[in-house]
Amino acid sequence: MKQLLPFFLLFFSFNLLAQKKPLDHSVYDGWQSIGERMISNNGKWVVYTVTPQEGDAELFIQSTENTQLKKQIPRGYNAVITEDSRFVVCRIKPLFKETRDARIKKKKPEEMPKDSIAIVELGKESVLKIGKIKSYKAPEKAVGWVAYHKEKEPVPARQAAIPTQKTVDSLKNKIDSLVLLVQEIKNVKAGNRDALDADEEPTASAGVNEGSDLVLRNFLTGKERIFKNVTEYFFNALGTKLVMEINKSTRDSASVNAVLLFDLQKEKLDTVLKGGNDFRNFAFTEDGTRLAFVAERDTSKKTFLKFYELYLHQPGYDTATVLIDKHSTGMHVGMTVSENANLSFSKTGKRLLFGTAPLPVPKDTSLVDIDLVKVDVWHYNDDFLQSQQLFQLSTELKRSYLAVYDFAAKKMEQLASKNLQTIIVTNEGDGEIFIATTDTGRRVEAQWMGGGKRDVYAMDVKTGKLTLVKKNHEGQVTPSSTGRYILLYDNKAKNYFAWDNSVEQGKSLKNITAKIKFPLYNEENDVPDDPNSYGVMGWHEGDSAVYVYDRYDVWKVDPTGVVVPKNMTGSGRNNKNAFRYLRTDVNEKFIKHNQLVVFRTQNQSNKKMSLQPGRLTANSVAFIGDIAQTNYAFTGMQKAKNSNEVIYSKESYNQSPNIFLSSVPETQMANSVATAWTEVPLSNLNAHQSQYNWGTAELYKWKTFDAKPATGILYKPEDFDPAKKYPMLIYFYEKLSDGLYNYIAPAPTPSRLNIPFFVSRGYLVFAPDISYTKGQPGKDAYNYIVSGAQALAKNKWVDAKNIGIQGQSWGGYQVAYLITRTNMFKAAWAGAPVVNMFSAYGGIRWESGVNRQFQYEKGQSRIGATPWERPDLYIESSPFFHLKKVNTPLVIMSNDADGAVPWYQGIEFFTAMRRLNKKVWLLNYNGEAHNLVERKNRKDIQVREQQYFDWLLKGAAPSKWITDGVPAVKKGKEWGL
């Protein structure tokens, strides 16, 4: 009996594995993911949401000292933990089913289910809930307060009364008057200006939309105060003031629109400004002593034009007063205060940054719509194509130009202009020098360059004076933390250059990285353009140094160029470990000496990752302990503000992302060999995954046809048996192997292959990396994809007669190209493919209005020349010219609202294949984008994709849409599934 026991256990374990279910399309909605997450300032509480793909989410509040202490808020979201780590506030969505049913019934917005708010005192059981909430806000850096805005209560229906004859006669008279007024307005629209006196011109009524109750609650005392008819409200960062915009009530003729200011410390309410049509863009200094906003207060009915003014309220003011208007000193002629610009004070409050805009042009009311000619005029001298202008029209109509008001000098300075639109603010608005850039005069070339050259200037904020830093710069522009330096990465010189604003004489750019022997640019760049840099990690406190990346390590660089750069991470390149800093404080402005830093590393050979904490010293990072690399990916790290607790997500292909808690040690461990990173799991998502036949992910390496080393990911079913043969799907898009340890949830995807779904159902999935050379994107794809497929096909467990390929967008193009070069694949699926590079070259990306030329000359399509310079490359690389060779059945997805690839590329592809009597299907999801947006469409395409590949690669019976299609007369009635 003892001898039989091991065999029995082995048999039993295999039997359990065999009993696992394959994934099906019903699993998607309930599959969970981590949404928002945060940790309290004291590190003792963690808040996160668990969200299904469709349905009701849950918010969890969990203790870090006792992880079993966990509170659940059904449908909670949009949470904050108060500054003192004592309370959590969140919104609560209505039940998903209630909202869905209301949409099905086409209920009006005011009849839709409404959000609630929940207030939880941490460590306590009770939860305070308040219903019908529009929004809530809490001060960023203060404790004790929250304000929540309630939905407007519906006006109760009045009981119908039987009208008297007098009432009927009165109503008839009013109707007759309205009929006359409507006729007069029609006369005006027809051009008869004499039919209505100018003084009686109708104007849009302002302020008729009533606000609703705003409740201000003190956490500590439980006291509440209610303010009526509030439309907008804001706290200052330190939580001492609350500003509110109040709308007049239609039930009270004496009421007016107003701006109120409530002092939370004195519990005193003041009227800041009374009367006006529109108030917006409220901004406080951090301490709340100054308040600024823009307002339009013209009560005249003679014009439709609105002129905004900039108002200021500060200590000593009874009411807010006009600080800037169209007549102010410093305001350029033809300009006025913009109502669309961001309004903000500098960090110290010494400056106010606002926007100006051209004076509005009155509308010509003599024009009649029926007679208007609607035509777009494309002109060769336009900065931007007409398509791009139309796409950007609403933005351009609201464009504003940065200006600044200096309180000490009591003057306004206009900084930006039509020809100098981009201003980079330094030192949180307090810098003496801002950075100005412009591409004026060079915008046309962006059509084929992808991005224009820029002139970079140092701008004296007090005077607006410009000093040229670099002409025709191509590359990154970064200000230092104090604004003393302007850091430029030059794409052509492939080095960093610094401009010192503190130098009075002989200012010039200085190459500060020339002594670094290793490339600071993308070593694997394979597009016909200059490579980008690996980027900037950050500036040291006081701007004494800047930290930059090479492919593997971090370098400390002296911005004056005197001190030789230092490699701070040491062994990255030797070990092929790429170090990247995890910024755990979103408000971090600079890096300090001896600061606790955490790096995520990834080995470029085996793709394993690790987390490496350490202390930043003058010459290196003193790593804390020796942390082994793992078969996991790490994302979303956050650190507690006042302790060393951190939270992060950890995942692998087999393990759903979960929240983990750790406490980073303060100092180097004793023997530097023990693992410093001790972690505690807080969440446990998708436990039901264990019921399904999942899969494994492994790195696969081979040699291409030209003997280059190649890498990809091979996914196998969990119950993989090397004695069996498996059909294989190949999915590709640029390089994917860095995602070896990423979790891929089974989901109806926008476009890509649903990898875990097919793996679970007995397919192998192969995702090869592709490297390119100039001018032959199709050949390079063939070199990597087909060589990888052939290498894998040598294994007995690969069914070489049943291999399919799937790709979307750039991957869709590669699918189209591959089936013209080989008959190895039995089934192909191409989403949003380009098939004819000649016609696509001149096309428009309708999502932005830009031309596609740059993609072929400088970007992903990698031709590196125009069609008239190298037509041979365009013909060779375009599948359209080689479709006679195709023998592989193909499905094309090409949607009529695709904003990236013109959908007529799919039509060209389909009609040519049809003309050549090839097996081809075209799916056009009406009104859909480049990648599917609507979940119902995503679900539909997953079913069709499974049916198609199962038919050709597994011998399943074909569905009706495959055999017969879906005629237009049956559209919306039958789907062929």
Side-chain angles (χ1 to χ4, degrees):
M1 186 67 181
K2 289 182 181 181
Q3 294 176 342
L4 292 175
L5 187 59
F7 173 79
F8 171 78
L9 290 175
L10 185 65
F11 174 80
F12 183 70
S13 63
F14 274 123
N15 193 43
L16 281 178
L17 189 63
Q19 290 175 358
K20 287 192 174 184
K21 300 178 291 186
L23 291 168
D24 59 47
H25 300 295
S26 68
V27 306
Y28 302 141
D29 291 351
W31 220 269
Q32 301 166 323
S33 63
I34 298 290
E36 56 193 86
R37 79 285 301 273
M38 63 203 71
I39 186 168
S40 62
N41 287 340
N42 64 7
K44 294 183 178 180
W45 297 94
V46 173
V47 175
Y48 59 92
T49 57
V50 175
T51 307
Q53 291 182 26
E54 187 171 288
D56 295 316
E58 294 177 307
L59 183 138
F60 292 91
I61 303 171
Q62 194 163 357
S63 168
T64 62
E65 296 177 324
N66 176 9
T67 56
Q68 300 304 309
L69 183 57
K70 182 187 296 189
K71 184 182 293 294
Q72 181 177 335
I73 309 292
R75 306 182 308 285
Y77 76 109
N78 188 213
V80 296
I81 306 175
T82 56
E83 182 77 4
D84 60 356
S85 305
R86 287 186 58 189
F87 294 89
V88 167
V89 187
C90 70
R91 294 177 69 164
I92 300 176
K93 287 184 179 180
L95 286 165
F96 175 83
K97 184 179 185 305
E98 289 180 2
T99 302
R100 186 175 187 277
D101 289 346
R103 287 175 178 165
I104 291 171
K105 295 175 182 176
K106 298 182 179 179
K107 289 193 174 183
K108 298 176 182 179
E110 61 270 22
E111 297 174 331
M112 294 292 289
K114 306 299 181 185
D115 276 10
S116 303
I117 189 175
I119 300 174
V120 180
E121 185 172 359
L122 294 170
K124 302 290 180 67
E125 283 298 317
S126 61
V127 178
L128 175 64
K129 295 182 181 179
I130 302 105
K132 296 183 179 180
I133 299 299
K134 287 201 287 189
S135 66
Y136 82 89
K137 292 175 184 175
E140 181 186 354
K141 299 178 181 180
V143 301
W145 297 99
V146 66
Y148 52 91
H149 202 186
K150 303 202 72 173
E151 292 281 356
K152 183 180 176 182
E153 291 294 335
V155 178
R158 295 182 179 178
Q159 186 175 358
I162 300 175
T164 63
Q165 186 60 43
K166 183 178 179 180
T167 303
V168 172
D169 292 340
S170 175
L171 284 172
K172 283 182 177 180
N173 290 334
K174 289 181 179 179
I175 291 170
D176 291 340
S177 299
L178 284 171
V179 170
L180 289 173
L181 179 59
V182 169
Q183 185 57 52
E184 289 176 15
I185 292 172
K186 286 181 178 179
N187 290 337
V188 171
K189 286 187 174 181
N192 184 5
R193 296 297 299 165
D194 295 331
L196 186 65
D197 186 81
D199 288 342
E200 297 173 341
E201 186 172 41
T203 59
S205 59
V208 296
N209 294 321
E210 286 193 64
S212 57
D213 289 355
L214 180 75
V215 181
L216 176 65
R217 181 180 178 86
N218 188 306
F219 286 125
L220 306 179
T221 65
K223 290 174 61 177
E224 291 186 342
R225 183 158 181 169
I226 299 175
F227 303 93
K228 297 289 187 181
N229 294 333
V230 175
T231 55
E232 288 291 345
Y233 63 105
F234 298 93
F235 287 101
N236 68 308
L238 296 181
T240 57
K241 303 286 176 62
L242 174 68
V243 64
M244 293 166 283
E245 178 185 354
I246 309 296
N247 266 18
K248 64 183 179 182
S249 172
T250 54
R251 304 173 200 173
D252 181 1
S253 59
S255 68
V256 294
N257 296 334
V259 176
L260 305 183
L261 186 64
F262 185 72
D263 189 314
L264 282 78
Q265 295 173 324
K266 298 178 182 178
E267 296 192 12
K268 180 183 177 183
L269 183 66
D270 288 321
T271 300
V272 170
L273 195 63
K274 197 173 183 179
N277 302 317
D278 188 21
F279 311 101
R280 59 176 70 183
N281 302 342
F282 295 94
F284 277 113
T285 53
E286 191 171 66
D287 62 4
T289 55
R290 283 178 173 149
L291 167 68
F293 56 94
V294 297
E296 188 275 310
R297 305 181 72 206
D298 189 358
T299 58
S300 170
K301 296 182 180 180
K302 295 184 179 181
T303 177
F304 285 106
L305 297 180
K306 293 182 178 182
F307 296 96
Y308 284 80
E309 299 165 316
L310 178 58
Y311 281 80
L312 176 72
H313 185 270
Q314 61 184 355
Y317 284 28
D318 291 330
T319 62
T321 59
V322 176
L323 182 67
I324 300 290
D325 64 14
K326 60 184 177 180
H327 303 297
S328 296
T329 301
M331 181 69 71
H332 290 185
V333 175
M335 303 290 284
T336 188
V337 173
S338 171
E339 73 274 25
N340 298 307
N342 290 327
L343 197 63
S344 64
F345 287 93
S346 64
K347 177 70 173 178
T348 62
K350 295 176 181 178
R351 290 176 181 160
L352 177 60
L353 286 74
F354 63 100
T356 62
L359 290 166
V361 179
K363 183 179 179 181
D364 187 349
T365 56
S366 67
L367 298 175
V368 183
D369 284 348
I370 197 172
D371 293 333
L372 291 180
V373 176
K374 296 182 178 179
V375 57
D376 301 329
V377 179
W378 297 53
H379 194 282
Y380 68 94
N381 276 338
D382 286 347
D383 278 351
F384 302 105
L385 291 175
Q386 187 72 197
S387 55
Q388 192 173 353
Q389 292 180 50
L390 291 170
F391 177 80
Q392 295 173 342
L393 182 59
S394 61
T395 301
E396 287 300 318
L397 291 173
K398 295 179 180 179
R399 181 175 289 282
S400 58
Y401 302 97
L402 181 67
V404 63
Y405 183 84
D406 189 305
F407 288 99
K410 296 183 178 179
K411 62 173 289 195
M412 164 193 169
E413 190 66 46
Q414 182 68 54
L415 302 181
S417 63
K418 183 179 179 181
N419 293 326
L420 196 70
Q421 295 179 356
T422 304
I423 308 293
I424 302 173
V425 173
T426 66
N427 198 23
E428 300 182 76
D430 286 314
E432 295 181 6
I433 300 292
F434 287 177
I435 304 171
T437 69
T438 179
D439 60 355
T440 301
R442 287 147 296 184
R443 290 170 180 161
V444 173
E445 68 184 30
Q447 178 176 318
W448 56 89
M449 295 293 291
K453 300 167 184 174
R454 295 178 290 169
D455 297 338
V456 181
Y457 296 92
M459 173 181 278
D460 188 315
V461 183
K462 293 181 179 179
T463 65
K465 178 185 175 182
L466 295 172
T467 303
L468 181 65
V469 174
K470 177 78 182 300
K471 191 81 174 172
N472 290 325
H473 175 64
E474 293 181 75
Q476 183 180 349
V477 180
T478 308
S480 64
S481 61
T482 69
R484 174 179 170 178
Y485 297 100
I486 300 174
L487 184 69
L488 303 182
Y489 177 80
D490 190 310
N491 285 350
K492 292 193 177 298
K494 299 180 177 62
N495 270 287
Y496 287 92
F497 294 77
W499 172 276
D500 190 344
N501 288 314
S502 67
V503 177
E504 293 299 326
Q505 301 295 329
K507 288 185 178 180
S508 63
L509 281 171
K510 181 177 289 187
N511 188 332
I512 60 174
T513 55
K515 294 180 181 178
I516 297 178
K517 299 177 181 179
F518 304 108
L520 300 174
Y521 56 85
N522 182 2
E523 295 180 30
E524 298 181 298
N525 178 63
D526 59 5
V527 298
D529 200 1
D530 295 317
N532 294 321
S533 70
Y534 283 107
V536 176
M537 172 177 146
W539 283 84
H540 198 86
E541 186 175 15
D543 291 350
S544 60
V546 61
Y547 299 93
V548 302
Y549 295 112
D550 70 11
R551 182 178 181 182
Y552 298 100
D553 290 301
V554 176
W555 293 82
K556 183 179 182 180
V557 181
D558 175 14
T560 69
V562 175
V563 180
V564 176
K566 299 180 180 67
N567 182 340
M568 301 294 285
T569 46
S571 60
R573 183 169 292 271
N574 291 339
N575 297 324
K576 292 190 175 182
N577 290 328
F579 284 84
R580 292 299 180 261
Y581 174 56
L582 298 179
R583 194 178 306 277
T584 56
D585 178 3
V586 295
N587 297 314
E588 180 181 274
K589 307 301 179 189
F590 47 78
I591 300 167
K592 300 178 181 179
H593 179 69
N594 204 39
Q595 177 179 324
L596 176 66
V597 290
V598 181
F599 292 91
R600 179 176 56 211
T601 73
Q602 183 171 40
N603 185 276
Q604 298 299 292
S605 295
N606 59 29
K607 307 302 179 181
K608 291 186 176 183
M609 285 190 182
S610 70
L611 293 174
Q612 296 271 1
R615 291 282 173 186
L616 194 71
T617 70
N619 298 309
S620 66
V621 177
F623 290 110
I624 301 171
D626 182 14
I627 300 176
Q629 290 186 327
T630 63
N631 298 338
Y632 292 95
F634 302 92
T635 59
M637 175 170 285
Q638 294 182 29
K639 178 182 173 297
K641 182 178 178 180
N642 302 320
S643 73
N644 281 351
E645 275 71 36
V646 293
I647 57 170
Y648 51 90
S649 291
K650 177 179 170 182
E651 64 187 89
S652 69
Y653 179 73
N654 308 89
Q655 180 177 301
S656 181
N658 277 295
I659 297 288
F660 284 78
L661 168 74
S662 184
S663 182
V664 183
E666 282 287 346
T667 58
Q668 183 80 13
M669 295 193 68
N671 52 18
S672 201
V673 294
T675 299
W677 207 269
T678 56
E679 57 186 15
V680 178
L682 299 183
S683 62
N684 182 28
L685 272 64
N686 300 315
H688 60 287
Q689 178 181 309
S690 61
Q691 303 170 20
Y692 295 95
N693 183 38
W694 197 247
T696 61
E698 62 188 64
L699 214 56
Y700 181 76
K701 297 188 177 184
W702 73 101
K703 290 290 182 67
T704 63
F705 293 132
D706 56 359
K708 292 177 182 177
T711 304
I713 305 175
L714 178 62
Y715 299 93
K716 295 177 181 176
E718 183 180 353
D719 61 355
F720 175 76
D721 182 352
K724 294 182 179 179
K725 281 188 177 293
Y726 293 87
M728 183 166 68
L729 291 172
I730 306 178
Y731 171 78
F732 33 80
Y733 193 95
E734 300 280 357
K735 291 180 172 66
L736 299 170
S737 65
D738 280 354
L740 175 65
Y741 297 112
N742 290 353
Y743 183 81
I744 307 174
T749 74
S751 57
R752 65 171 290 165
L753 189 74
N754 189 345
I755 291 175
F757 176 85
F758 282 101
V759 171
S760 177
R761 300 184 72 86
Y763 285 88
L764 303 172
V765 174
F766 176 47
D769 287 351
I770 307 166
S771 294
Y772 296 90
T773 55
K774 182 178 177 181
Q776 51 180 32
K779 285 184 177 179
D780 291 330
Y782 178 91
N783 187 29
Y784 282 83
I785 297 168
V786 178
S787 67
Q790 289 184 2
L792 274 168
K794 293 176 182 178
N795 294 286
K796 294 181 179 179
W797 35 267
V798 175
D799 187 349
K801 295 181 179 180
N802 287 294
I803 300 177
I805 51 176
Q806 195 267 7
Q808 166 73 12
S809 189
W810 180 238
Y813 156 73
Q814 291 166 124
V815 168
Y817 182 88
L818 289 175
I819 61 175
T820 69
R821 289 290 305 274
T822 179
N823 294 322
M824 181 179 187
F825 306 117
K826 194 174 180 182
W829 187 290
V834 165
V835 67
N836 183 347
M837 287 191 172
F838 281 102
S839 56
Y841 173 85
I844 298 293
R845 294 179 66 98
W846 293 108
E847 64 190 2
S848 59
V850 302
N851 183 246
R852 293 172 51 84
Q853 291 179 356
F854 71 94
Q855 296 179 216
Y856 296 88
E857 296 184 46
K858 295 290 184 180
Q860 188 179 52
S861 298
R862 296 176 169 91
I863 298 297
T866 66
W868 48 89
E869 291 169 334
R870 294 297 306 272
D872 57 315
L873 295 180
Y874 281 80
I875 291 172
E876 165 59 31
S877 299
S878 296
F880 184 81
F881 300 103
H882 312 285
L883 294 181
K884 285 184 65 176
K885 303 174 185 176
V886 174
N887 292 309
T888 306
L890 170 73
V891 175
I892 305 164
M893 183 196 77
S894 196
N895 301 323
D896 52 25
D898 191 328
V901 172
W903 89 290
Y904 53 73
Q905 286 289 314
I907 295 173
E908 285 189 49
F909 200 178
F910 177 82
T911 54
M913 290 276 282
R914 187 172 186 258
R915 167 72 178 80
L916 293 166
N917 199 30
K918 309 294 183 182
K919 291 182 178 180
V920 63
W921 297 259
L922 173 64
L923 302 177
N924 167 27
Y925 288 90
N926 301 162
E928 268 285 15
H930 184 64
N931 294 297
L932 295 174
V933 174
E934 294 194 44
R935 188 169 175 83
K936 62 183 179 183
N937 294 334
R938 294 181 179 187
K939 287 183 174 181
D940 181 89
I941 203 170
Q942 302 304 304
V943 174
R944 295 185 194 277
E945 203 163 57
Q946 181 206 349
Q947 291 174 346
Y948 179 71
F949 284 126
D950 280 359
W951 167 52
L952 288 173
L953 304 184
K954 283 189 168 184
S959 297
K960 196 171 182 180
W961 72 271
I962 295 174
T963 56
D964 302 337
V966 180
V969 293
K970 296 183 179 180
K971 180 179 177 180
K973 302 172 185 176
E974 295 182 10
W975 284 264
L977 299 175

